[in-house]
Amino acid sequence: SSTGIVNVLIKSSDNNDATSLEREWETFLSQVLMACVDVKQYPRTVIQVVLQIIQTDGSVLSCALHAAVASLLDAGILMTSLPVATTCLISNDMPMRLDPTTQEENQNDSSVVVLVNGNVKPDEILACQTMGAPMTLESLL
């Protein structure tokens, strides 16, 4: 291919086999980073980012994106924009919370939304990942 690709691999400290959720996160992060890395500068190249999860207390996907971006910048990889992720907890019985803990994320009636935007067009959402209970548009507003 005339452009490179970005591949993300997530490893957990508690198990050697990745869960289906981790595989989903790998795909999500790869797609977000592909949109932000200047892949035309790296023809026929695979840029692999390996993320080791040592300990978690919520907002794992947002933290993983920030770690991946930091590692790409540290390696000198050219990027067209810098993505930033925010984790929001939405529940019917409490106001929206930012940066929820794992305990808050695991509540049965809540949904976790991870929004990603870049610095080039901060008004636009670059990607969105939703986990947990189904939501209605009214619950978001």
Side-chain angles (χ1 to χ4, degrees), residues 3-8 29-43 45-49 65 68-83 118-120 126:
T3 63
I5 62 169
V6 179
N7 183 37
V8 175
L29 292 171
S30 295
Q31 291 170 347
V32 169
L33 294 175
M34 280 283 294
C36 298
V37 170
D38 192 359
V39 291
K40 293 178 183 172
Q41 298 295 323
Y42 306 98
T45 303
V46 175
I47 301 169
Q48 186 164 26
V49 179
L65 176 69
V69 169
S71 67
L72 291 170
L73 291 173
D74 187 55
I77 301 296
L78 299 175
M79 300 185 76
T80 57
S81 67
L82 295 176
N119 65 332
V120 175
L126 182 61

Short mmCIF file of all heavy atoms in Angstrom, two decimals, residues 3-8 29-43 45-49 65 68-83 118-120 126:
data_model
loop_
_atom_site.label_atom_id
_atom_site.label_comp_id
_atom_site.label_asym_id
_atom_site.label_seq_id
_atom_site.Cartn_x
_atom_site.Cartn_y
_atom_site.Cartn_z
N THR A 3 0.30 3.89 1.64
CA THR A 3 0.29 4.53 2.95
C THR A 3 0.54 3.47 4.02
O THR A 3 0.35 2.28 3.80
CB THR A 3 -1.06 5.22 3.24
OG1 THR A 3 -2.08 4.23 3.27
CG2 THR A 3 -1.39 6.26 2.20
N GLY A 4 0.96 3.94 5.16
CA GLY A 4 1.18 3.02 6.28
C GLY A 4 -0.12 2.74 7.01
O GLY A 4 -1.17 3.31 6.70
N ILE A 5 -0.04 1.85 7.97
CA ILE A 5 -1.19 1.56 8.82
C ILE A 5 -0.75 1.61 10.28
O ILE A 5 0.43 1.46 10.59
CB ILE A 5 -1.84 0.19 8.51
CG1 ILE A 5 -0.87 -0.95 8.77
CG2 ILE A 5 -2.36 0.14 7.10
CD1 ILE A 5 -1.54 -2.31 8.74
N VAL A 6 -1.72 1.83 11.16
CA VAL A 6 -1.46 1.85 12.59
C VAL A 6 -2.20 0.68 13.20
O VAL A 6 -3.39 0.50 12.97
CB VAL A 6 -1.92 3.17 13.23
CG1 VAL A 6 -1.67 3.16 14.74
CG2 VAL A 6 -1.23 4.36 12.59
N ASN A 7 -1.50 -0.13 13.96
CA ASN A 7 -2.08 -1.30 14.61
C ASN A 7 -1.86 -1.17 16.12
O ASN A 7 -0.76 -0.88 16.56
CB ASN A 7 -1.41 -2.57 14.08
CG ASN A 7 -2.01 -3.82 14.65
OD1 ASN A 7 -3.21 -3.90 14.86
ND2 ASN A 7 -1.17 -4.80 14.93
N VAL A 8 -2.93 -1.38 16.88
CA VAL A 8 -2.84 -1.27 18.35
C VAL A 8 -3.04 -2.66 18.94
O VAL A 8 -3.94 -3.40 18.53
CB VAL A 8 -3.91 -0.29 18.89
CG1 VAL A 8 -3.90 -0.28 20.41
CG2 VAL A 8 -3.67 1.10 18.35
N LEU A 29 -9.15 2.02 18.70
CA LEU A 29 -7.96 2.85 18.82
C LEU A 29 -7.16 2.89 17.52
O LEU A 29 -6.64 3.94 17.13
CB LEU A 29 -7.08 2.36 19.97
CG LEU A 29 -7.66 2.55 21.37
CD1 LEU A 29 -6.80 1.83 22.40
CD2 LEU A 29 -7.80 4.03 21.71
N SER A 30 -7.08 1.76 16.83
CA SER A 30 -6.38 1.72 15.54
C SER A 30 -7.04 2.67 14.54
O SER A 30 -6.35 3.41 13.83
CB SER A 30 -6.36 0.30 14.97
OG SER A 30 -5.60 -0.56 15.80
N GLN A 31 -8.37 2.67 14.50
CA GLN A 31 -9.09 3.54 13.57
C GLN A 31 -8.90 5.02 13.93
O GLN A 31 -8.69 5.86 13.05
CB GLN A 31 -10.58 3.19 13.55
CG GLN A 31 -10.85 1.85 12.92
CD GLN A 31 -12.30 1.39 13.11
OE1 GLN A 31 -13.04 1.94 13.90
NE2 GLN A 31 -12.67 0.35 12.37
N VAL A 32 -8.95 5.34 15.22
CA VAL A 32 -8.75 6.73 15.64
C VAL A 32 -7.35 7.19 15.29
O VAL A 32 -7.15 8.28 14.73
CB VAL A 32 -9.02 6.89 17.16
CG1 VAL A 32 -8.56 8.25 17.65
CG2 VAL A 32 -10.48 6.67 17.47
N LEU A 33 -6.35 6.36 15.60
CA LEU A 33 -4.97 6.76 15.34
C LEU A 33 -4.67 6.83 13.84
O LEU A 33 -3.89 7.69 13.40
CB LEU A 33 -4.01 5.81 16.05
CG LEU A 33 -4.07 5.88 17.57
CD1 LEU A 33 -3.19 4.82 18.21
CD2 LEU A 33 -3.70 7.27 18.09
N MET A 34 -5.29 5.95 13.05
CA MET A 34 -5.11 6.02 11.58
C MET A 34 -5.60 7.36 11.05
O MET A 34 -5.04 7.90 10.10
CB MET A 34 -5.88 4.89 10.90
CG MET A 34 -5.19 3.55 10.93
SD MET A 34 -3.85 3.39 9.75
CE MET A 34 -4.74 3.46 8.21
N ALA A 35 -6.65 7.91 11.67
CA ALA A 35 -7.19 9.19 11.23
C ALA A 35 -6.30 10.36 11.66
O ALA A 35 -6.41 11.45 11.10
CB ALA A 35 -8.60 9.38 11.78
N CYS A 36 -5.42 10.15 12.62
CA CYS A 36 -4.61 11.23 13.17
C CYS A 36 -3.13 11.17 12.78
O CYS A 36 -2.44 12.19 12.82
CB CYS A 36 -4.73 11.25 14.69
SG CYS A 36 -6.40 11.54 15.26
N VAL A 37 -2.64 9.99 12.46
CA VAL A 37 -1.24 9.84 12.05
C VAL A 37 -1.13 10.17 10.56
O VAL A 37 -2.00 9.81 9.77
CB VAL A 37 -0.74 8.40 12.32
CG1 VAL A 37 0.62 8.15 11.68
CG2 VAL A 37 -0.67 8.14 13.82
N ASP A 38 -0.09 10.86 10.18
CA ASP A 38 0.14 11.20 8.77
C ASP A 38 0.70 9.96 8.07
O ASP A 38 1.90 9.85 7.81
CB ASP A 38 1.10 12.38 8.67
CG ASP A 38 1.17 12.96 7.28
OD1 ASP A 38 0.48 12.45 6.37
OD2 ASP A 38 1.92 13.94 7.09
N VAL A 39 -0.18 8.99 7.77
CA VAL A 39 0.25 7.68 7.25
C VAL A 39 0.87 7.78 5.86
O VAL A 39 1.61 6.87 5.45
CB VAL A 39 -0.92 6.67 7.25
CG1 VAL A 39 -1.30 6.29 8.66
CG2 VAL A 39 -2.12 7.20 6.48
N LYS A 40 0.65 8.87 5.15
CA LYS A 40 1.27 9.04 3.82
C LYS A 40 2.78 9.20 3.93
O LYS A 40 3.50 8.93 2.98
CB LYS A 40 0.66 10.24 3.10
CG LYS A 40 -0.79 10.03 2.74
CD LYS A 40 -1.38 11.25 2.08
CE LYS A 40 -2.85 11.00 1.80
NZ LYS A 40 -3.53 12.21 1.34
N GLN A 41 3.24 9.62 5.09
CA GLN A 41 4.68 9.77 5.32
C GLN A 41 5.38 8.43 5.60
O GLN A 41 6.61 8.38 5.64
CB GLN A 41 4.93 10.70 6.51
CG GLN A 41 4.40 12.10 6.32
CD GLN A 41 5.14 12.83 5.20
OE1 GLN A 41 6.34 12.69 5.03
NE2 GLN A 41 4.40 13.61 4.43
N TYR A 42 4.59 7.36 5.76
CA TYR A 42 5.15 6.06 6.11
C TYR A 42 4.62 4.98 5.16
O TYR A 42 3.88 4.09 5.57
CB TYR A 42 4.78 5.71 7.57
CG TYR A 42 5.20 6.80 8.54
CD1 TYR A 42 4.29 7.75 8.98
CD2 TYR A 42 6.52 6.90 8.98
CE1 TYR A 42 4.66 8.76 9.85
CE2 TYR A 42 6.91 7.91 9.83
CZ TYR A 42 5.98 8.83 10.27
OH TYR A 42 6.36 9.83 11.12
N PRO A 43 5.01 5.04 3.88
CA PRO A 43 4.49 4.03 2.94
C PRO A 43 4.99 2.63 3.28
O PRO A 43 6.11 2.45 3.76
CB PRO A 43 5.02 4.50 1.59
CG PRO A 43 6.20 5.36 1.91
CD PRO A 43 5.94 5.96 3.27
N THR A 45 4.41 0.66 5.67
CA THR A 45 4.90 0.57 7.05
C THR A 45 3.74 0.25 7.98
O THR A 45 2.65 0.77 7.82
CB THR A 45 5.52 1.91 7.49
OG1 THR A 45 6.58 2.25 6.59
CG2 THR A 45 6.07 1.83 8.90
N VAL A 46 4.00 -0.63 8.94
CA VAL A 46 3.06 -0.89 10.01
C VAL A 46 3.61 -0.24 11.27
O VAL A 46 4.71 -0.56 11.72
CB VAL A 46 2.84 -2.39 10.25
CG1 VAL A 46 1.93 -2.62 11.46
CG2 VAL A 46 2.27 -3.06 9.02
N ILE A 47 2.86 0.70 11.82
CA ILE A 47 3.23 1.34 13.09
C ILE A 47 2.43 0.62 14.15
O ILE A 47 1.20 0.74 14.21
CB ILE A 47 2.91 2.85 13.07
CG1 ILE A 47 3.67 3.53 11.95
CG2 ILE A 47 3.22 3.47 14.43
CD1 ILE A 47 3.23 4.96 11.68
N GLN A 48 3.11 -0.16 14.98
CA GLN A 48 2.41 -0.94 16.00
C GLN A 48 2.59 -0.30 17.37
O GLN A 48 3.71 -0.01 17.79
CB GLN A 48 2.90 -2.38 16.04
CG GLN A 48 2.08 -3.23 16.99
CD GLN A 48 2.28 -4.72 16.76
OE1 GLN A 48 3.30 -5.12 16.26
NE2 GLN A 48 1.30 -5.50 17.12
N VAL A 49 1.46 -0.09 18.04
CA VAL A 49 1.46 0.47 19.38
C VAL A 49 0.99 -0.63 20.33
O VAL A 49 -0.10 -1.16 20.17
CB VAL A 49 0.52 1.69 19.47
CG1 VAL A 49 0.50 2.24 20.89
CG2 VAL A 49 0.92 2.76 18.48
N LEU A 65 -5.94 5.68 24.87
CA LEU A 65 -5.73 6.58 23.73
C LEU A 65 -4.65 7.60 24.05
O LEU A 65 -3.75 7.84 23.25
CB LEU A 65 -7.03 7.29 23.34
CG LEU A 65 -6.85 8.31 22.21
CD1 LEU A 65 -6.52 7.61 20.90
CD2 LEU A 65 -8.04 9.20 22.07
N ALA A 68 -1.28 5.97 23.94
CA ALA A 68 -0.87 5.68 22.57
C ALA A 68 -0.38 6.95 21.87
O ALA A 68 0.65 6.93 21.17
CB ALA A 68 -2.03 5.06 21.79
N VAL A 69 -1.09 8.04 22.05
CA VAL A 69 -0.68 9.31 21.43
C VAL A 69 0.67 9.76 21.99
O VAL A 69 1.56 10.18 21.24
CB VAL A 69 -1.76 10.40 21.65
CG1 VAL A 69 -1.24 11.77 21.25
CG2 VAL A 69 -3.01 10.06 20.85
N ALA A 70 0.85 9.64 23.30
CA ALA A 70 2.13 10.03 23.91
C ALA A 70 3.28 9.19 23.36
O ALA A 70 4.37 9.71 23.08
CB ALA A 70 2.05 9.90 25.43
N SER A 71 3.04 7.89 23.16
CA SER A 71 4.10 7.03 22.65
C SER A 71 4.42 7.36 21.19
O SER A 71 5.58 7.34 20.78
CB SER A 71 3.74 5.55 22.80
OG SER A 71 2.66 5.21 21.96
N LEU A 72 3.41 7.67 20.40
CA LEU A 72 3.65 8.04 19.00
C LEU A 72 4.43 9.36 18.91
O LEU A 72 5.36 9.48 18.11
CB LEU A 72 2.33 8.16 18.23
CG LEU A 72 1.59 6.84 17.99
CD1 LEU A 72 0.19 7.10 17.45
CD2 LEU A 72 2.37 5.95 17.04
N LEU A 73 4.06 10.33 19.73
CA LEU A 73 4.79 11.60 19.75
C LEU A 73 6.23 11.40 20.20
O LEU A 73 7.16 11.98 19.63
CB LEU A 73 4.08 12.62 20.64
CG LEU A 73 2.72 13.12 20.13
CD1 LEU A 73 2.05 13.99 21.19
CD2 LEU A 73 2.89 13.89 18.84
N ASP A 74 6.42 10.57 21.23
CA ASP A 74 7.76 10.30 21.73
C ASP A 74 8.63 9.62 20.68
O ASP A 74 9.83 9.85 20.62
CB ASP A 74 7.68 9.44 22.99
CG ASP A 74 9.03 9.27 23.66
OD1 ASP A 74 9.68 10.30 23.96
OD2 ASP A 74 9.45 8.12 23.87
N ALA A 75 8.00 8.79 19.83
CA ALA A 75 8.74 8.10 18.78
C ALA A 75 8.98 8.98 17.55
O ALA A 75 9.65 8.55 16.60
CB ALA A 75 7.97 6.84 18.36
N GLY A 76 8.44 10.19 17.56
CA GLY A 76 8.65 11.10 16.44
C GLY A 76 7.74 10.84 15.25
O GLY A 76 8.03 11.28 14.14
N ILE A 77 6.63 10.16 15.46
CA ILE A 77 5.68 9.88 14.39
C ILE A 77 4.92 11.17 14.06
O ILE A 77 4.39 11.82 14.96
CB ILE A 77 4.69 8.77 14.79
CG1 ILE A 77 5.45 7.47 15.14
CG2 ILE A 77 3.65 8.53 13.72
CD1 ILE A 77 6.20 6.86 14.00
N LEU A 78 4.86 11.52 12.78
CA LEU A 78 4.15 12.72 12.36
C LEU A 78 2.64 12.51 12.46
O LEU A 78 2.12 11.50 11.99
CB LEU A 78 4.53 13.08 10.92
CG LEU A 78 6.01 13.39 10.68
CD1 LEU A 78 6.27 13.60 9.20
CD2 LEU A 78 6.42 14.62 11.47
N MET A 79 1.98 13.48 13.05
CA MET A 79 0.52 13.39 13.22
C MET A 79 -0.14 14.62 12.62
O MET A 79 0.40 15.72 12.70
CB MET A 79 0.17 13.24 14.70
CG MET A 79 0.78 11.99 15.33
SD MET A 79 0.28 11.71 17.03
CE MET A 79 -1.38 11.10 16.77
N THR A 80 -1.32 14.42 12.04
CA THR A 80 -2.08 15.53 11.46
C THR A 80 -2.94 16.23 12.50
O THR A 80 -3.31 17.37 12.34
CB THR A 80 -2.96 15.05 10.30
OG1 THR A 80 -3.84 14.03 10.78
CG2 THR A 80 -2.11 14.50 9.16
N SER A 81 -3.29 15.52 13.57
CA SER A 81 -4.03 16.10 14.69
C SER A 81 -3.76 15.29 15.94
O SER A 81 -3.30 14.16 15.87
CB SER A 81 -5.53 16.15 14.39
OG SER A 81 -6.06 14.86 14.32
N LEU A 82 -4.03 15.90 17.08
CA LEU A 82 -3.84 15.23 18.36
C LEU A 82 -5.20 14.89 18.95
O LEU A 82 -5.93 15.79 19.38
CB LEU A 82 -3.06 16.12 19.33
CG LEU A 82 -1.63 16.45 18.94
CD1 LEU A 82 -1.01 17.43 19.93
CD2 LEU A 82 -0.81 15.18 18.85
N PRO A 83 -5.56 13.62 18.99
CA PRO A 83 -6.87 13.26 19.55
C PRO A 83 -6.86 13.33 21.08
O PRO A 83 -5.86 13.05 21.72
CB PRO A 83 -7.06 11.82 19.07
CG PRO A 83 -5.67 11.29 18.92
CD PRO A 83 -4.83 12.46 18.50
N GLY A 118 -10.20 15.97 17.89
CA GLY A 118 -8.83 16.36 17.61
C GLY A 118 -8.65 17.85 17.77
O GLY A 118 -9.62 18.61 17.86
N ASN A 119 -7.40 18.29 17.76
CA ASN A 119 -7.12 19.71 17.95
C ASN A 119 -7.33 20.52 16.68
O ASN A 119 -7.47 21.73 16.74
CB ASN A 119 -5.71 19.91 18.48
CG ASN A 119 -4.64 19.48 17.50
OD1 ASN A 119 -4.88 18.60 16.67
ND2 ASN A 119 -3.47 20.07 17.58
N VAL A 120 -7.39 19.88 15.51
CA VAL A 120 -7.55 20.61 14.26
C VAL A 120 -8.98 21.14 14.13
O VAL A 120 -9.20 22.30 13.78
CB VAL A 120 -7.18 19.72 13.06
CG1 VAL A 120 -7.46 20.42 11.75
CG2 VAL A 120 -5.72 19.32 13.15
N LEU A 126 -14.45 13.02 16.46
CA LEU A 126 -13.66 12.15 15.60
C LEU A 126 -14.12 10.70 15.72
O LEU A 126 -14.16 9.96 14.74
CB LEU A 126 -12.18 12.28 15.98
CG LEU A 126 -11.15 11.51 15.19
CD1 LEU A 126 -11.18 11.95 13.73
CD2 LEU A 126 -9.77 11.73 15.77
#
